[in-house]
Amino acid sequence: MSRNLTWFSYIGGEDIRDRCGPGASDSYRFVYNGIYRKQIRSYDLRMLPDGRSATLSAWARAVPDFARPIPVLELGRQWDGTRAEATLPVQGVGSLRAALEADGLRGDRPDVLRLPSNEFYWTAAACVDGRFLTNAWLYPSARFESLRFPGVLKTYDRTGVPFYEARPVNRRDDDPNLYDGDQSEFAPFHVQLGPKGFVGTDGLI
């Protein structure tokens, strides 16, 4: 419930924006929506005092395995997801920054982009050189297909949760050539990228 009530604020990086300004350390937040009810992932990266390496906090939530026996007191934890910490060395930080430059974090940004929860997309909120930045990439699109930064994040992802890769919505997992009408969400909600950042619309389920 706490996550649901703050999800739009988290994606929008409001906490990053509040501490961003001249002299602030660079920080980044990436969110992957792999159809919300199937998988969501997030990555928070903050530079270490040396200014060259960084900490990476990864979180992933996939569909809970209710076939596995679960103690009654742990039923709610099925939805908690998996968290893992890692350190990005100097090389990793350099690779991420180069990828974000190629991906157009600073410049290749649509004026308005509506992001449905029952589709695949990446979002980014960051403080870079004291400037607050937001961007998003929706599948299917050439912008999404050419992304490089997810590959860097995957390299340092220690959650052990396999990626639910982007595919045409409603394609069956067991046979991508077939469609399954039950795959879509009953009442999807939306996040919208606008000139001033992200805003949430409709109800969050």
Side-chain angles (χ1 to χ4, degrees):
M1 180 62 70
S2 174
R3 181 185 63 249
N4 288 353
L5 293 174
T6 60
W7 186 240
F8 294 133
S9 173
Y10 180 78
I11 288 180
E14 293 183 8
D15 55 325
I16 296 176
R17 181 191 59 197
D18 290 346
R19 62 175 180 261
C20 189
S25 298
D26 288 359
S27 59
Y28 304 81
R29 175 171 298 150
F30 307 96
V31 173
Y32 176 66
N33 188 89
I35 300 184
Y36 186 82
R37 72 179 182 87
K38 281 186 168 289
Q39 183 172 103
I40 47 177
R41 314 178 78 101
S42 70
Y43 300 87
D44 277 276
L45 184 144
R46 299 192 69 173
M47 298 301 298
L48 290 170
D50 63 11
R52 303 176 65 205
S53 55
T55 60
L56 180 67
S57 298
W59 173 77
R61 190 201 73 183
V63 176
D65 180 10
F66 290 115
R68 180 176 60 85
I70 310 164
V72 173
L73 295 179
E74 297 184 9
L75 285 175
R77 295 180 183 177
Q78 284 288 89
W79 301 102
D80 288 349
T82 302
R83 301 182 184 276
E85 304 290 323
T87 298
L88 260 70
V90 175
Q91 180 181 359
V93 172
S95 296
L96 181 62
R97 285 176 165 166
L100 289 170
E101 189 68 25
D103 293 338
L105 173 64
R106 296 173 184 262
D108 180 17
R109 184 184 188 281
D111 292 332
V112 176
L113 184 61
R114 191 171 170 86
L115 306 167
S117 62
N118 60 345
E119 297 188 27
F120 295 88
Y121 61 79
W122 277 98
T123 68
C127 179
V128 183
D129 298 329
R131 179 187 173 194
F132 182 64
L133 305 169
T134 56
N135 212 329
W137 299 263
L138 178 65
Y139 175 88
S141 67
R143 295 177 69 245
F144 186 101
E145 297 288 356
S146 65
L147 285 177
R148 294 174 52 185
F149 77 81
V152 180
L153 296 177
K154 290 177 184 179
T155 299
Y156 296 95
D157 186 329
R158 303 292 183 259
T159 62
V161 179
F163 251 81
Y164 186 60
E165 300 290 353
R167 67 201 69 190
V169 176
N170 291 344
R171 285 286 176 90
R172 284 175 47 171
D173 294 341
D174 58 341
D175 188 343
N177 295 315
L178 299 177
Y179 285 88
D180 182 352
D182 293 334
Q183 292 284 358
S184 61
E185 291 183 350
F186 178 74
F189 62 92
H190 299 79
V191 175
Q192 182 167 294
L193 174 68
K196 296 183 179 180
F198 294 101
V199 293
T201 62
D202 302 336
L204 180 58
I205 57 175

